[in-house]
Amino acid sequence: MTIITERRTWTLALVVVAFAAGLWAAHRWHRASSAVAGPEFQLASLSTSTPAQDFTLYDGEGRSRSLRDFRGRVVLMFFGFTRCPDVCPTELFKLSQVKQSLADDGARVQVIFITLDPERDSPALMQTYTSAFDPDFVGLTGSREQIDKVAAQYYVAHAKAGPPDSYVIDHSTSTYVIDPAGRLRLLGRMDTSVEAFVHDIRLLLRDQPGGAG
Amino acid sequence: MRSLAPPLACLWALVGINAATASEPVSTVRIEQAWARATPPGVNVGAAYAVISNRGAADRLVAVESTLSEQVEIHNSSQQAGRMQMRPVAEADVPAGGRVVFEPGGSHLMLIDLKRPLRQGELLSMTFVFANAGRLTVQLPVAPIGSTQAPTSAHDHHH
């Protein structure tokens, strides 16, 4: 009886020691692997090195604007529509706070709002709309074909819903973060905080000190 | 006679409690933290938010009206297949002892065909119509465009 109990105790002790050793090894491995992961971004990071897909659309004054025109700045790009009562104002207001929080570095950040509703969102309306959040924001629109193409380039899911005269548009709500070299680097979400955006944008700007601006 | 006094007192108490309950207002629904968001010029839709709390029996929010818009729709928002989807619903259940929360990024009240843009700092009058509680009119302070919370000066405006 006592021998069996003793054996059990030893087995248990062995198991506990083995488990602890395993935990320690896993912890060491995790620390080692994250140490080589480079800058610690808080947003979802895309390890891309190729330029973000370029496009040409029209700004509030009807001038054609391409993504590459904004090289040297961090571009924050969001897709939506002006008759969007809740999500779009929430996100655009957040991006205006991000820019303000960056103080002087805010001048090296460009927010671009691309409409998914070109039938109703004229260049003039886009201009009025984006200016309400920040006069430096750029609102882009184009033909239905051009908009659909850009949305497809960035895997933006969108669909009209509701009656023809008062439809809304269901759409994905990611904010695309493009670095000063024109590479798509990060994806922000509705629940990403202003602080997380500011933190990550500072990292991207640090990589490219004194870019065009 | 003396032996009847305690049960009689009990009876009186019971009647008294019943009477008190019956004379209480039926409405146990309150509208708290109600606010609306300023709208950019040129856009004739807006959003309003509120918390409806119910200390009594189950009720239903069946309509919302506003003096500054043709229509107010109750919208549910949800993520479906990677898209944020908002859909009008005819009414919203206000469960017994529960709350209904309208907030940015979630369910909200959509103001349709605004007669003019909503301006930061003004008050917007809205009437919430409940199946049992009836009509409750509330003055909503208007917060800056895109703001995600009620203006800081906002108190609970309710009747």
Side-chain angles (χ1 to χ4, degrees):
Chain A
M1 199 61 179
T2 50
I3 293 171
I4 292 170
T5 314
E6 216 166 274
R7 231 182 236 168
R8 274 196 187 155
T9 311
W10 273 109
T11 315
L12 187 70
L14 219 66
V15 167
V16 167
V17 167
F19 184 70
L23 270 183
W24 178 79
H27 176 68
R28 282 296 294 258
W29 178 81
H30 179 72
R31 266 180 50 177
S33 62
S34 55
V36 295
E40 302 277 336
F41 290 113
Q42 295 178 4
L43 276 67
S45 172
L46 308 164
S47 41
T48 49
S49 53
T50 50
Q53 302 242 32
D54 203 20
F55 54 80
T56 303
L57 293 169
Y58 301 97
D59 71 9
E61 279 145 26
R63 289 176 303 183
S64 67
R65 302 292 284 265
S66 301
L67 182 60
R68 65 173 172 274
D69 299 344
F70 303 102
R71 289 274 168 90
R73 281 180 246 182
V74 167
V75 171
L76 305 176
M77 196 164 73
F78 184 73
F79 294 81
F81 62 114
T82 65
R83 282 181 58 99
C84 164
D86 180 58
V87 165
C88 305
T90 304
E91 194 65 11
L92 287 173
F93 181 69
K94 186 170 83 185
L95 298 182
S96 74
Q97 289 180 305
V98 168
K99 196 165 163 257
Q100 274 177 24
S101 304
L102 281 161
D104 288 348
D105 284 337
R108 296 178 59 202
V109 171
Q110 179 65 58
V111 174
I112 299 180
F113 180 57
I114 299 178
T115 184
L116 295 167
D117 190 14
E119 289 84 0
R120 292 188 302 199
D121 288 342
S122 64
L125 180 53
M126 289 296 283
Q127 175 89 320
T128 317
Y129 186 78
T130 55
S131 302
F133 296 92
D134 186 311
D136 293 332
F137 284 9
V138 167
L140 298 180
T141 185
S143 68
R144 169 49 66 190
E145 293 70 33
Q146 287 173 308
I147 292 296
D148 284 346
K149 190 176 163 217
V150 178
Q153 282 175 323
Y154 287 88
Y155 304 100
V156 175
H158 62 110
K160 284 184 187 177
D165 58 334
S166 64
Y167 59 89
V168 292
I169 296 176
D170 304 336
H171 60 95
S172 35
T173 53
S174 296
T175 292
Y176 296 78
V177 183
I178 295 158
D179 73 12
R183 294 170 300 189
L184 175 57
R185 297 288 295 276
L186 307 165
L187 280 182
R189 294 158 37 120
M190 289 295 295
D191 58 3
T192 305
S193 67
V194 169
E195 292 72 26
F197 268 106
V198 168
H199 172 268
D200 286 9
I201 290 168
R202 285 200 196 281
L203 286 180
L204 292 177
L205 288 172
R206 198 186 59 190
D207 288 349
Q208 307 264 330
Chain B
M1 246 354 212
R2 203 183 57 181
S3 63
L4 268 180
L8 261 177
C10 279
L11 209 65
W12 267 96
L14 266 174
V15 169
I17 287 165
N18 277 335
T21 313
S23 68
E24 282 242 326
V26 183
S27 170
T28 48
V29 171
R30 281 164 58 105
I31 295 168
E32 294 154 343
Q33 301 158 47
W35 59 286
R37 216 142 70 165
T39 57
V43 175
N44 60 352
V45 296
Y49 309 95
V51 175
I52 299 169
S53 67
N54 183 5
R55 285 173 300 141
D59 204 338
R60 288 177 355 259
L61 176 66
V62 293
V64 185
E65 298 160 9
S66 146
T67 49
L68 278 181
S69 71
E70 292 296 325
Q71 259 184 290
V72 181
E73 286 184 350
I74 305 166
H75 277 201
N76 280 345
S77 290
S78 60
Q79 283 281 356
Q80 299 287 339
R83 298 193 294 242
M84 183 62 98
Q85 181 171 290
M86 55 175 215
R87 290 289 177 274
V89 291
E91 52 183 50
D93 282 327
V94 187
R99 301 195 322 157
V100 176
V101 179
F102 295 103
E103 61 185 350
S107 296
H108 54 269
L109 302 164
M110 181 171 176
L111 301 148
I112 295 174
D113 290 333
L114 283 170
K115 293 167 186 167
R116 60 167 177 78
L118 298 180
R119 289 186 284 262
Q120 177 182 344
E122 69 177 343
L123 289 175
L124 168 70
S125 177
M126 281 178 80
T127 301
F128 292 70
V129 186
F130 295 91
N132 301 327
R135 301 169 66 85
L136 295 179
T137 298
V138 184
Q139 303 300 320
L140 289 78
V142 177
I145 284 177
S147 176
T148 49
Q149 54 199 12
T152 42
S153 60
H155 302 291
D156 290 351
H157 297 261
H158 52 80
H159 287 250

